[in-house]
Amino acid sequence: MSMLIALGLAATTTLAQSASQASEVRLHIETDSPKVELYRVTSDGVGTISTFTRSATVGIVHFQRECFAPCDVTVPEPRSDFFVAGRGITPSERFSLLGVGEDVTLRVKPGSTVTRALGWTSTVVGITALSLVAAMVLVDGTLGKPVLGGPMNEETTWKFAAAGGGLALLGGGVTLLAFSGTEVEVLPTPKSTPSREVL
């Protein structure tokens, strides 16, 4: 009987410690940008927008700001989903603050919303140019490539220039999009070691 009571007390203590550890975390943000902000997702759902001719489904996300970098605050209820954003900063993917201990450090490499907008614009213009060239080729039946040694007419030159420009814009846009995202690493905060006095 005493063994069962002891085991029960130990299990209760373990559960209480786990619950207390999961109830809040101390948070620090490492970043080069003072504009980084931590947000908590409070709820999300789905809504419908309808017009006379069609309807569309949209996602609805509610969130609240927790702190500004470097934060150094205690964040309650870390079971929620969080993300990093800020003025001119691309919102990051969602992440959790659980699983790394009571002291958490976010290492943030912010992406730029301007870079992302340029990336999308370049990508769309590049695809449009390539689509236009493809449509002209389908109509003409040929890209208009001249015979070896023959002259290159104005239409052929335009097609090659549009195709080359479209490929360059598409490649540049994809590259900009790849480097415009915000990267977040969730790490345990390293414990500071006391300095030793040299005698």
Side-chain angles (χ1 to χ4, degrees):
M1 178 66 77
S2 60
M3 179 66 73
L4 291 176
I5 294 174
L7 289 175
L9 289 173
T12 304
T13 303
T14 302
L15 289 174
Q17 290 176 348
S18 298
S20 65
Q21 289 176 357
S23 63
E24 60 184 27
V25 296
R26 289 181 293 274
L27 180 75
H28 173 73
I29 293 182
E30 289 183 0
T31 181
D32 294 332
S33 173
K35 299 179 180 179
V36 169
E37 303 171 23
L38 177 68
Y39 289 87
R40 179 196 301 269
V41 178
T42 56
S43 64
D44 52 3
V46 177
T48 303
I49 299 176
S50 300
T51 63
F52 292 105
T53 57
R54 62 183 64 184
S55 61
T57 302
V58 295
I60 302 173
V61 180
H62 298 276
F63 53 88
Q64 66 183 27
R65 184 191 294 117
E66 289 292 318
C67 59
F68 294 88
C71 285
D72 292 325
V73 297
T74 299
V75 179
E77 301 179 10
R79 285 187 174 86
S80 303
D81 284 339
F82 296 86
F83 67 93
V84 165
R87 179 173 296 181
I89 296 175
T90 308
S92 70
E93 298 290 335
R94 295 186 187 185
F95 56 86
S96 172
L97 298 178
L98 292 178
V100 294
E102 295 181 349
D103 293 280
V104 179
T105 293
L106 299 182
R107 190 170 294 163
V108 179
K109 182 180 179 183
S112 171
T113 54
V114 174
T115 302
R116 174 156 292 189
L118 289 174
W120 278 117
T121 302
S122 180
T123 300
V124 170
V125 174
I127 292 175
T128 302
L130 291 174
S131 300
L132 182 60
V133 173
M136 294 184 67
V137 169
L138 289 176
V139 171
D140 296 343
T142 177
L143 186 59
K145 185 175 181 180
V147 180
L148 184 63
M152 182 177 291
N153 58 39
E154 184 177 349
E155 182 180 353
T156 301
T157 303
W158 186 91
K159 287 180 182 178
F160 275 99
L167 287 173
L169 287 171
L170 179 59
V174 171
T175 302
L176 289 173
L177 288 174
F179 286 97
S180 66
T182 296
E183 301 177 6
V184 179
E185 289 184 85
V186 184
L187 306 168
T189 301
K191 302 295 182 181
S192 59
T193 56
S195 59
R196 295 182 179 180
E197 185 178 354
V198 180
L199 300 178

